[in-house]
Amino acid sequence: MSDRELDQQLVERVQRGEKRAFDLLVSKYQRRLGRLLSRFIKDSADIEDVTQEAFIKAYRALPSFRGESAFYTWLYRIGINTAKNFLSANGRRPVFKAGAEDEDGEVYDLSAQVPDYHTPETEMMNRQIVETVNQAVSVLPEDLRTAITLREMDGLSYEEIAQVMNCPIGTVRSRIFRAREAIATQLRPLLDTAKDKRW
């Protein structure tokens, strides 16, 4: 049985009134959703609050969930919207963190694109690249930042991102392309690449 089918069974059990089934969904996705939100919200207590609020909203909306998208894609959309509302209500801009862990605790870092020969020069260059990428991403418009984060950090497909962001797949492709171009523009001076090359 696939993950999606298992989630759908749990959702159907919740819809029949079995609250314990929702606890299983929460325990399965709580850390994952928290990591997603930590890319937009800085304070860990706020991340915890927004994650909990997103699950409450998901629970209330679950009777209308039809399974047209995967449960976690639907949950991500609720989480992102909850984070946007939280940041807007508190007059804050989202933050962006380059390093992100997956379920196995493996850290992904955009600096991994540059070979690391452990010399002081390459380590300094890697730090500059990470800082430049962080800065470039942090000033992107929210829609571009969300799209590139979901793609590069969470590894979501274009279809899943379209569902999360509630927009056509062509819009997702455009946003990711524009985000990558903006990041590449900032990286070119560091990497000494030609204008027609991305990195």
Side-chain angles (χ1 to χ4, degrees):
M1 180 181 294
S2 74
D3 229 23
R4 182 172 177 165
E5 290 168 331
L6 180 62
D7 288 351
Q8 187 58 37
Q9 281 189 357
L10 289 171
V11 165
E12 288 167 6
R13 285 169 53 190
V14 176
Q15 289 172 332
R16 290 193 302 267
E18 194 180 324
K19 292 181 180 177
R20 174 79 183 112
F22 190 73
D23 293 342
L24 295 173
L25 288 167
V26 170
S27 59
K28 181 176 181 180
Y29 290 113
Q30 190 164 14
R31 284 185 61 223
R32 197 168 171 185
L33 184 62
R35 274 196 304 277
L36 171 74
L37 298 179
S38 75
R39 303 204 186 102
F40 301 93
I41 302 169
K42 192 172 188 173
D43 184 74
S44 58
D46 290 340
I47 294 165
E48 202 172 303
D49 290 346
V50 173
T51 302
Q52 187 172 2
E53 187 180 340
F55 275 111
I56 290 168
K57 286 181 178 178
Y59 182 75
R60 289 179 181 152
L62 213 50
S64 63
F65 179 74
R66 300 281 172 254
E68 292 158 0
S69 64
F71 173 77
Y72 80 86
T73 303
W74 180 76
L75 178 64
Y76 270 28
R77 185 185 312 152
I78 291 171
I80 286 173
N81 287 336
T82 305
K84 283 181 189 175
N85 292 342
F86 169 80
L87 292 166
S88 176
N90 290 288
R92 299 189 210 165
R93 270 185 63 85
V95 297
F96 179 79
K97 297 177 184 172
E101 289 183 14
D102 68 8
E103 279 72 54
D104 302 319
E106 187 173 341
V107 176
Y108 293 98
D109 195 330
L110 293 173
S111 66
Q113 294 176 5
V114 177
D116 184 4
Y117 301 108
H118 299 293
T119 65
E121 291 82 10
T122 57
E123 288 179 16
M124 186 176 91
M125 175 64 101
N126 286 344
R127 275 195 304 277
Q128 286 178 325
I129 289 169
V130 170
E131 287 170 15
T132 303
V133 169
N134 283 343
Q135 179 59 30
V137 171
S138 73
V139 298
L140 286 173
E142 187 175 321
D143 56 345
L144 302 188
R145 184 174 49 249
T146 301
I148 196 75
T149 300
L150 291 172
R151 179 69 182 159
E152 300 298 338
M153 303 304 252
D154 289 316
L156 267 61
S157 69
Y158 286 94
E159 292 81 7
E160 291 168 326
I161 296 168
Q163 290 173 348
V164 169
M165 297 187 74
N166 200 22
C167 65
I169 194 165
T171 303
V172 170
R173 290 184 197 284
S174 170
R175 287 174 180 172
I176 290 172
F177 175 81
R178 287 167 40 213
R180 286 179 176 156
E181 285 301 305
I183 294 167
T185 300
Q186 298 302 312
L187 283 176
R188 273 189 201 108
L190 274 178
L191 302 178
D192 199 27
T193 52
K195 282 196 173 195
D196 60 338
K197 303 281 186 215
R198 191 169 276 152
W199 343 95

